[in-house]
Every structure is written in C-alpha cells, then in structure tokens.
Amino acid sequence: MLTLPSSRPLLRRGIYISIPLFILFLFGLSHFVHQPQYAFPRDVSSQQKSPYYSKGGPRHYSWENRPFFPPLINADGNLTASDLCANFSTHLLDRIQVILKTGAGEPEKNKAHLATVTSCITNLIVVSDHDEIIGQHHFIDVLDDLPPEYASDNPDFATYHAQKQAHSQGESVGYSQEGWRLDRFKFLPMVEKAYEMRPHAEWYVFIEADVYYFWDTLFRILDQLDPSMMHYIGSPVPGAHGRSFAYGGAGFVLSTGVMKRLVGDSSDSRLSVKYMDWAKKDCCGDAVLGYAILDKTGVKVEGLYPTFAGDDLASLKNVPGTDNGTVGMGAN
Ligand SMILES: *[C@@H]1O[C@H](CO)[C@@H](O)[C@H](O)[C@H]1NC(C)=O
Ligand SMILES: *[C@@H]1O[C@H](CO)[C@@H](O)[C@H](O)[C@H]1NC(C)=O
Ligand SMILES: *[C@@H]1O[C@H](CO)[C@@H](O)[C@H](O)[C@H]1NC(C)=O
C-alpha cells in the first residue's frame, strides 16, 4: 500500500562515512577556536521564537546567536576525548534528549559512534534489536516491546527471533541485509520509549550509528524554536500519496509539543500498535513514522538544510557564507 521512490539506497550510500566522523567532530568543535569574544547565548524572547511558523514570513532568522560552547583551547595540539567533552554544554541535555538507534550487527559502527559523535552525551538513550550493556551504555531492545502480531506473516521480522536464538546460544550476530530490514520496525517503539524514559525533555533528537550532527549548530537552532509547538524537523523525502517524511539517515527532531500528541495521549492505543499494519507493509520505518505523525497530529516535516542532510559534507549545497544561501526551513 505504501511504497517509496528508489532514492533511498542512493541517499544511504551517501552517508556511509563513519570513518571520518571523529575528524569532522574535531572540525566542528575547533570552529570556535578563533572566536575572540565569547559570551553565553542570550535568551531569545518568546515572541521571537518559532519565526518559521509565521506563514509567508522569512525563512531564516536575522539576529545573531552565539555558540553554546566556549572556544576550544588546544594549547599543545594534543587533545584527548575527555578534554573535548570537558566543555561540552551538558546542561542542555536535560532539555535536549538524544536517542541513538542502532543494531547488534554493527558493533564497529556503534563503538566508533560512542567514542566520537555521542561521546559527550551523558544521558544518551540507545535503542537496538538486542538487549546488552556496552561500555557504560545499556542498549535497549525496543523490538521486545512490540505485540506478537508483528511476527505473523512478516518474514522480515523472523530475523529478530533467529537473532535472539543465536545470541542465546552465544553466537555473535554480524551485519546482514536481514538485520537491516529489521531496522524499520524500531522507529515507532523508539519514539514511544524516548517519551516514556524522558517525558520532560523539550526536544527529542534522533540519530543513527552512521549519522552525526554539529552539536552546537543543532543546539543553537533548537534554541530559536518553541518546543511546546509542534515541530518535526529533518531532511524531507517524498513518500507515498504526496506525503513527505524526515529521512532517518539524516537524523530528525521532535518537539515535546509533537510528542505529547503523538505518544502522550493515553486514551489512544500505542503508536506501534495503532500503525502496525503500515509498519509491516512499508519498506521504511522513517516513512511510517512520518505518516503516523501526519495522521495523528497533522504535522508535516519541516526541512532544515544543511543541518539535516543525507549528503556528505563535501556535497552540501547552498551553505551560508559561500553564496547568498540561508539556512532555509519550510514545511514540505
Ligand atoms: C574549557 O574551558 C575552560 C574555561 O573556559 C578553559 O580553561 C579550558 O581550556 C577549556 N578546555 C578546552 C579543551 O578547550
Ligand atoms: C602529545 O602528548 C604526548 C604525551 O602526552 C607528547 O609526548 C607529545 O609530544 C604531544 N604532542 C604534541 C604535538 O604536543
Ligand atoms: C546577495 O543578495 C543581495 C541582495 O539580494 C545582493 O545585493 C548581493 O550582491 C548578493 N551577494 C552575493 C555574494 O551573491
């Protein structure tokens, strides 16, 4: 019933760049080394928040904002990971909850991600298809929460049980196409789990094991918006029946306003139950989540480029400072 154009494999290939993650992370932080006058960000008045919501209004904000990170002091060119995290704005993590979605079949990617991109996220939630402790992180098996009907007439889901059996016999589970197909069932329970674990966050930031953000850019953008309003932000991809959704491989963000309507409504059935048929039929979990958000809340994805992009860094277009490009945002 719900199908997607074939753009997904291309997009996905473009972001398989987990190796240079650490370099990019350093690059992102060192961006602030040469900023002479550092001051913490000012509070944006509530009238100024959510400018993108005024239809027909400007698609960018005209005031300057400031970094949440102090300049990086790199006295001897020799920073360790803990030096890099020392000045990370962890106080923001009470308001901004980061959720990493991954799979048991990708241990190298997970290790690299936890050591670099998400290394400073002290309260990171990790959702996976297998329950395990890795380092200081509890990988939560979100598929375990799904109703048993997910397994019926659903060959893609059979992998989950095969994987469980392998784990219980002490076998390791490597990367597989089947494991990748299983990934799409994680989206709905991931969103439920995030809200269940951290009902008081203002923003829910979703990331995958081959995705990174420039944290300061993301934090500064979210600081301009009102989290009580409904925001579903990401990199829009056209889906079935003229609907768009945020491409999972670019990361996406939900505001508490959306979360309350989407999963905080106890009078309705759980997302993963309500939209089970869609989740079973559609190829892509990010698409199903987008359709579920639209169906339940009426909210469309807001494209915010290039902070959310399925491209690698070198392929970004229209970046501010290089031409008249502004970081545009609009409903798609
Ligand atoms: C962290 O901030 C402190 C105070 O501003 C500064 O002294 C220190 O050098 C910073 N650390 C790094 C790695 O930049
Ligand atoms: C980096 O640190 C090591 C040991 O702490 C030291 O031997 C080396 O000279 C340092 N490198 C630079 C470029 O400062
Ligand atoms: C940017 O746009 C302004 C007005 O639209 C124009 O005057 C200016 O020349 C443009 N700058 C560049 C670098 O294209």
Side-chain angles (χ1 to χ4, degrees):
M1 179 178 75
L2 305 168
T3 49
L4 265 187
S6 60
S7 56
R8 190 175 174 93
L10 278 175
L11 282 165
R12 185 149 278 272
R13 194 187 52 189
I15 52 149
Y16 268 91
I17 49 166
S18 51
I19 308 300
L21 283 179
F22 191 51
I23 297 161
L24 289 166
F25 183 59
L26 291 178
F27 172 79
L29 287 176
S30 64
H31 181 69
F32 301 112
V33 168
H34 299 298
Q35 293 199 348
Q37 296 126 352
Y38 174 75
F40 274 96
R42 70 191 166 97
D43 275 341
V44 176
S45 75
S46 54
Q47 287 95 326
Q48 277 179 309
K49 291 211 178 210
S50 297
Y52 311 107
Y53 255 68
S54 50
K55 283 264 180 282
R59 288 163 65 87
H60 57 94
Y61 46 80
S62 53
W63 61 90
E64 268 189 44
N65 59 32
R66 292 185 183 278
F68 278 105
F69 293 79
L72 189 63
I73 314 289
N74 190 359
D76 60 0
N78 216 352
L79 291 176
T80 65
S82 68
D83 292 332
L84 289 171
C85 286
N87 290 334
F88 195 92
S89 298
T90 41
H91 66 281
L92 294 175
L93 301 176
D94 297 334
R95 298 197 275 123
I96 302 174
Q97 179 62 50
V98 182
I99 301 104
L100 168 67
K101 176 173 68 57
T102 187
E106 316 229 56
E108 291 81 18
K109 267 194 206 172
N110 294 340
K111 210 172 142 195
H113 207 270
L114 293 173
T116 56
V117 183
T118 38
S119 62
C120 310
I121 311 294
T122 46
N123 60 349
L124 182 71
I125 294 176
V126 187
V127 301
S128 180
D129 43 28
H130 176 54
D131 202 82
E132 59 190 329
I133 305 284
I134 296 184
Q136 293 158 357
H137 297 280
H138 177 199
F139 283 46
I140 300 167
D141 179 359
V142 277
L143 300 181
D144 203 32
D145 282 348
L146 294 176
E149 291 77 27
Y150 263 85
S152 66
D153 286 335
N154 188 0
D156 286 351
F157 204 76
T159 317
Y160 177 56
H161 296 292
Q163 230 174 255
K164 259 201 154 151
Q165 181 138 18
H167 282 300
S168 70
Q169 292 167 357
E171 293 164 26
S172 67
V173 173
Y175 175 80
S176 66
Q177 275 299 318
E178 291 76 20
W180 192 75
R181 284 205 291 271
L182 197 54
D183 188 72
R184 71 179 207 263
F185 301 111
K186 293 173 201 158
F187 281 83
L188 299 177
M190 165 177 78
V191 169
E192 291 168 354
K193 184 59 90 183
Y195 190 69
E196 178 196 315
M197 290 179 71
R198 302 285 152 69
H200 303 299
E202 293 180 352
W203 298 102
Y204 297 84
V205 170
F206 297 90
I207 190 168
E208 302 190 355
D210 53 6
V211 177
Y212 63 91
Y213 291 112
F214 290 107
W215 293 115
D216 190 57
T217 307
L218 179 70
F219 294 165
R220 285 159 80 170
I221 286 168
L222 294 181
D223 197 52
Q224 312 303 310
L225 301 171
D226 181 348
S228 68
M229 305 210 29
M230 295 212 272
H231 287 288
Y232 166 35
I233 304 167
S235 173
V237 178
H241 308 300
R243 298 172 295 188
S244 295
F245 61 89
Y247 171 55
F252 63 95
V253 172
L254 296 175
S255 66
T256 190
V258 166
M259 285 296 240
K260 278 191 181 140
R261 284 274 287 277
L262 192 64
V263 287
D265 172 7
S266 54
S267 66
D268 201 0
S269 52
R270 281 172 50 197
L271 271 195
S272 52
V273 175
K274 190 176 167 84
Y275 298 105
M276 180 176 72
D277 289 344
W278 292 4
K280 284 170 75 171
K281 281 182 192 136
D282 199 283
C283 73
C284 305
D286 45 5
V288 172
L289 177 62
Y291 306 154
I293 292 170
L294 183 64
D295 186 64
K296 188 138 187 211
T297 71
V299 168
K300 293 178 176 176
V301 59
E302 296 163 283
L304 205 164
Y305 186 86
T307 298
F308 299 82
D311 306 312
D312 59 30
L313 201 57
S315 332
L316 293 180
K317 296 166 280 285
N318 207 22
V319 177
T322 57
D323 59 13
N324 264 350
T326 48
V327 182
M329 188 182 195
N332 281 270

